[in-house]
């Protein structure tokens, strides 16, 4: 299972320490540059308000299976967290679409480091993807991301 | 960017024609079998109500950039759809956690074919991932997934 980059992210976050813990917490605008072979695939993104961005966490530690989070005092399984460190570092972020041009999409709330490789974009659907009632260990571990 | 399977999906959907258009539309229970090296990573999944499942669409056509959807009459860019066909066929599904054992997670609403490789699991956070206000071309194209 080999991935190919479909684009590249240009963001304000040049180093890990500059990157937000989660993009929804900041309002920076990032630019998704889409490579030539794929630009026909983004035309209708102008008609959606939110997209799912999958990108590659190339600075992630793929050996981590249990980890502390900013809000946990003990280690928990990575699959119950949003840690960037995990066996397949496919980062996931829901972003607000700000502007779409021929080969670029400007988005709000993306948490990616500058230069990250884009793997996929999908329309976000409130009917499919929105679960306001979802509960995570916030209550026990404060927040597990 | 090479992916490794962390587990395997056991579902009722043996063929493409049996698979639901979207998992949220059906109540079937699927089982995520987690491979030995990764079972320490799922322990705390018992504390969450919903997880994000990323899995590999091995029957996807990776050459597709524009496609018709069940609800569109013209072709639109794959990145504005939820089509399984796309350059990097990383399928995304939000699932309800039904039961967690040592090496298995039973979930509701997963749309994966039986035997699909699991790439990643992440806690779903209503604070981060829920955008009930999101609008997609539903209005223009009916539904674009």
């Amino acid at each position: 299972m080999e991935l190919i980059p479909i684009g590249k992210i240009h963001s304000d976050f040049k180093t890990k320490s500059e990157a937000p813990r989660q993009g929804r917490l900041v309002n920076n605008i990032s630019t998704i540059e889409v490579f030539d072979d794929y630009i026909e695939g983004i035309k209708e993104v102008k008609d959606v308000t939110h997209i799912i961005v999958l990108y590659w966490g190339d600075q992630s530690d793929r050996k981590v299976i249990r980890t502390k989070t900013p809000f946990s005092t003990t280690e928990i399984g990575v699959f119950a967290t949003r840690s960037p460190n995990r066996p397949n570092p496919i980062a996931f972020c829901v972003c607000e679409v700000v502007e779409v041009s021929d080969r670029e999409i400007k988005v709000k709330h993306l948490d990616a480091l500058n230069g990250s490789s884009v793997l996929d974009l999908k329309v976000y659907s409130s009917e499919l993807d929105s679960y306001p009632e979802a509960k995570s260990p916030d209550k026990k571990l404060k927040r597990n991301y």
Side-chain angles (χ1 to χ4, degrees), chain A residues 9 11-16 18-26 28-30 53-55 82 84 91-95 107-114 116 145:
Chain A
I9 292 163
S11 80
D12 292 338
F13 315 121
K14 311 298 180 199
T15 63
K16 273 197 202 182
E18 284 176 18
R21 189 166 53 79
Q22 291 295 338
R24 196 159 180 177
L25 309 175
V26 296
N28 298 55
I29 307 283
S30 298
V53 179
L54 300 181
Y55 66 93
R82 293 294 277 264
F92 159 85
C93 197
V94 183
C95 299
V107 295
K108 197 184 276 189
H109 302 311
L110 186 55
D111 53 8
L113 282 175
N114 185 52
S116 300
Y145 48 85

Side-chain angles (χ1 to χ4, degrees), chain A residues 9-144:
Chain A
I9 292 163
H10 302 273
S11 80
D12 292 338
F13 315 121
K14 311 298 180 199
T15 63
K16 273 197 202 182
S17 60
E18 284 176 18
R21 189 166 53 79
Q22 291 295 338
R24 196 159 180 177
L25 309 175
V26 296
N27 287 319
N28 298 55
I29 307 283
S30 298
T31 300
I32 299 171
E33 173 197 350
V34 177
F35 296 153
D36 285 356
D37 289 349
Y38 309 104
I39 56 174
E40 290 296 314
I42 65 163
K43 281 192 180 179
E44 289 76 9
V45 172
K46 68 181 184 332
D47 300 327
V48 314
T49 60
H50 294 73
I51 53 170
I52 291 167
V53 179
L54 300 181
Y55 66 93
W56 188 250
D58 69 342
Q59 296 193 33
S60 297
D61 182 344
R62 301 183 67 170
K63 296 209 174 63
V64 174
I65 306 295
R66 297 186 65 77
T67 187
K68 283 192 187 175
T69 71
F71 297 100
S72 69
T73 49
T74 55
E75 289 196 333
I76 61 177
V78 286
F79 303 123
T81 77
R82 293 294 277 264
S83 168
N85 299 317
R86 49 188 61 239
N88 291 306
I90 303 168
F92 159 85
C93 197
V94 183
C95 299
E96 198 182 312
V97 175
V98 175
E99 198 185 315
V100 182
S101 64
D102 282 355
R103 54 186 65 239
E104 281 184 359
I105 305 172
K106 289 196 191 302
V107 295
K108 197 184 276 189
H109 302 311
L110 186 55
D111 53 8
L113 282 175
N114 185 52
S116 300
S117 290
V118 183
L119 303 174
D120 196 16
L121 306 167
K122 300 176 195 288
V123 62
Y124 180 92
S125 161
S126 57
E127 291 177 14
L128 296 177
D129 308 321
S130 181
Y131 285 87
E133 75 278 20
K135 299 256 186 302
S136 57
D138 297 11
K139 312 296 173 291
K140 292 172 196 163
L141 303 170
K142 290 185 184 150
R143 289 178 183 163
N144 66 331

